[in-house]
Amino acid sequence: MPPIPSVEDSSAENSASFDIVQHGHKDLVQAIAFNAYGDRCATGSVDGKIRVFNRHQDGIWRLCDNWKAHAGEILELQWLPPTIYPNLLASLGIEGRFRLWAEDPSAAPGRRFSSRDGNGKNVSELRSSRHPYRSFSVKHDEVTRYTYVALLASDGHLSVLEGEEHQALQDYGRVDDFQTCTKPNRGEETCFKVRFDPNPEPCYTALRAGVPPDALSLVVSGLTMVKIYRTRDSSASSFGAETRTREFYLATEITDHNHLVRDVAWAPGNYRGYDMIATACQDGLVRVFRIDTPFSNDDGKSWSLTDVMGHARADEHPTSRHTQPRRSSQVPSGIRAEIDKSGTHGERTSTDLPGQIYHTVKLLSKLGAHQSPVWRVDFDDDGQILGSVGDEGKLMCYRQMPDGSWAKSSELGMMKARMAAPPTNFS
């Protein structure tokens, strides 16, 4: 009889165990994603298959569908918000293809995302003609109903797209396209991650400093660098008419890493008045940084809606943003498309462009509980708990202290229960 796995909580006096769901994959599980409600889970394996589980009212997780999604291992998964119908699941494979999978709610279990032959019914996909994609992030604006996709390639090139038709990736327009870091050398070990700011709007101090309410914010890690980008408003002339556009600028760069950065996370809950970024590093440390947008109290502004949100938007109710004229999304067509295809945009550096806001970085904590390379890091939905997983297979959880620093609060580790030998009776 094989050993029975259990889970041990080292912070408790007595180890507690709970049931482990058998995922059913025939190879290593590389990616996992929960939906916003926490009642649906998707797992992606090295064998290229995705399995979706639903949590029923009796608390039991049951398999909803299983299909072949990619030719190789699955790197990342993300559910789009449940307000988008039908439910959409995004995936990225090792071959560099970004795909969307739409659920058919009327289909029987086992055929929600896949066809009878076991292959997935992806609605659309994107792939790079230069270098394969290695990380992605999706953000949906509930007010404007626009969906944004950030795709980071293996050469450090970042593409940000937007679209109104969530499933039609081929109709997405380009917001921006630029290089985030120096192209790595051939044969060099690499790791790239990109994550959108999960908060609906920038924090109130960033708004006070001049960040637009609808600014897009990204954190990008590549090799040993971590950079934060935000969009500024700019204008462009098209056929003699001025159009309002957005362009990413380098808000700040985190230079505290000397080893490969494996993962990066942006904390939800920016009601604190500042943002927080966490990184998982090859040197065995989890680092937490505070991002501020300092401003002067002598600039003549107050905390009124006019000063915080900006004069141009003071009379605009947040729920009426979709009635405003849309920015030019720079849809690639004609001559512009050929220019975009001919080469990559240069690396963004710190400049004093109009609309660019000054940012500062402060290291809050260096957490070395793993004492081994750290592979994953993420915050909970409120930004109150930080979790990380290392080479030793343990999940570490941290909480923020009153002084702003972070400290370990609990530890979860897998263990094998030893089976006692049956007693032998001699008569």
Side-chain angles (χ1 to χ4, degrees):
M1 182 177 181
I4 301 175
S6 62
V7 174
E8 177 187 17
D9 183 356
S10 62
S11 64
E13 295 182 358
N14 299 319
S15 61
S17 62
F18 54 86
D19 294 335
I20 295 180
V21 178
Q22 299 296 327
H23 54 69
H25 288 285
K26 296 182 180 179
D27 213 326
L28 183 69
V29 174
Q30 184 77 8
I32 187 170
F34 285 87
N35 68 347
Y37 299 131
D39 58 0
R40 171 164 273 191
C41 174
T43 58
S45 174
V46 173
D47 60 11
K49 290 187 176 181
I50 295 178
R51 295 171 72 89
V52 174
F53 300 86
N54 293 335
R55 187 176 186 271
H56 293 254
Q57 293 183 351
D58 56 5
I60 298 177
W61 291 87
R62 293 183 174 88
L63 182 65
C64 170
D65 206 347
N66 171 39
W67 71 95
K68 183 71 173 180
H70 293 272
E73 65 180 280
I74 296 172
L75 300 179
E76 294 181 359
L77 294 170
Q78 183 181 341
W79 288 98
L80 273 70
T83 52
I84 297 178
Y85 185 87
N87 287 330
L88 290 174
L89 176 65
S91 68
L92 178 64
I94 191 65
E95 78 283 359
R97 296 190 179 190
F98 171 75
R99 290 175 170 171
L100 285 180
W101 310 90
E103 181 183 22
D104 182 2
S106 62
R111 298 289 181 267
R112 295 289 181 90
F113 294 87
S114 63
S115 55
R116 291 186 176 276
D117 57 3
N119 293 320
K121 297 180 290 187
N122 65 301
V123 291
S124 56
E125 72 172 40
L126 291 174
R127 56 178 174 174
S128 173
S129 59
R130 296 187 295 264
H131 294 82
Y133 295 129
R134 286 293 173 260
S135 182
F136 79 90
S137 184
V138 179
K139 183 181 180 69
H140 180 69
D141 191 326
E142 297 291 351
V143 177
T144 63
R145 304 297 297 171
Y146 264 67
T147 301
Y148 302 91
V149 177
L151 295 163
L152 186 60
S154 61
D155 63 342
H157 197 82
L158 179 66
S159 300
V160 183
L161 312 173
E162 68 173 356
E164 279 186 293
E165 298 297 329
H166 321 295
Q167 301 182 23
L169 291 174
Q170 67 276 5
D171 294 333
Y172 276 44
R174 180 178 287 108
V175 177
D176 209 343
D177 188 12
F178 57 95
Q179 192 74 20
T180 61
C181 64
T182 305
K183 184 179 177 180
N185 299 322
R186 183 180 295 273
E188 182 181 3
E189 185 179 9
T190 61
C191 188
F192 294 93
K193 295 289 181 179
V194 58
R195 296 290 181 263
F196 272 111
D197 175 8
N199 299 285
E201 290 184 347
C203 60
Y204 62 89
T205 54
L207 295 173
R208 174 68 166 75
V211 176
D214 59 350
L216 296 175
S217 305
L218 283 167
V219 58
V220 178
S221 68
L223 306 179
T224 62
M225 72 85 188
V226 177
K227 296 180 180 180
I228 295 174
Y229 297 93
R230 289 195 195 268
T231 55
R232 66 182 184 90
D233 291 335
S234 60
S235 61
S237 179
S238 178
F239 299 102
E242 287 288 327
T243 58
R244 184 182 174 215
T245 63
R246 279 189 289 191
E247 180 183 68
F248 280 92
Y249 66 90
L250 178 61
T252 188
E253 182 175 1
I254 299 173
T255 59
D256 198 68
H257 304 87
N258 296 320
H259 296 76
L260 202 64
V261 178
R262 292 291 185 184
D263 199 10
V264 65
W266 192 312
N270 58 6
Y271 50 82
R272 307 175 185 86
Y274 58 88
D275 291 294
M276 282 190 297
I277 303 294
T279 61
C281 192
Q282 183 74 12
D283 61 5
L285 295 177
V286 174
R287 294 173 173 84
V288 187
F289 301 90
R290 169 173 170 164
I291 313 298
D292 284 288
T293 48
F295 57 88
S296 173
N297 289 318
D298 300 328
D299 56 5
K301 293 183 178 181
S302 66
W303 287 101
S304 66
L305 181 64
T306 301
D307 288 337
V308 173
M309 303 296 287
H311 293 278
R313 290 181 173 268
D315 57 349
E316 176 189 334
H317 193 274
T319 59
S320 65
R321 260 191 278 164
H322 62 283
T323 63
Q324 301 297 316
R326 282 296 305 167
R327 295 180 171 84
S328 169
S329 59
Q330 304 178 21
V331 178
S333 61
I335 298 176
R336 175 57 188 268
E338 296 304 318
I339 294 176
D340 288 335
K341 292 178 182 178
S342 64
T344 61
H345 297 270
E347 185 174 348
R348 298 288 161 87
T349 56
S350 297
T351 55
D352 293 326
L353 298 172
Q356 184 168 328
I357 306 301
Y358 176 67
H359 290 64
T360 61
V361 179
K362 178 184 178 182
L363 177 64
L364 294 179
S365 298
K366 282 186 180 181
L367 307 167
H370 285 286
Q371 299 181 353
S372 65
V374 188
W375 290 88
R376 294 288 186 270
V377 65
D378 204 1
F379 291 92
D380 71 333
D381 290 341
D382 297 323
Q384 301 291 332
I385 301 175
L386 173 64
S388 63
V389 177
D391 234 6
E392 79 289 357
K394 292 183 178 180
L395 169 65
M396 305 290 182
C397 293
Y398 315 88
R399 288 184 180 273
Q400 193 171 21
M401 308 301 290
D403 62 356
S405 64
W406 288 75
K408 176 182 170 182
S409 61
S410 61
E411 173 183 328
L412 291 173
M414 299 297 297
M415 62 173 293
K416 292 182 178 180
R418 295 182 178 179
M419 303 301 296
T424 302
N425 297 324
F426 296 95
S427 57

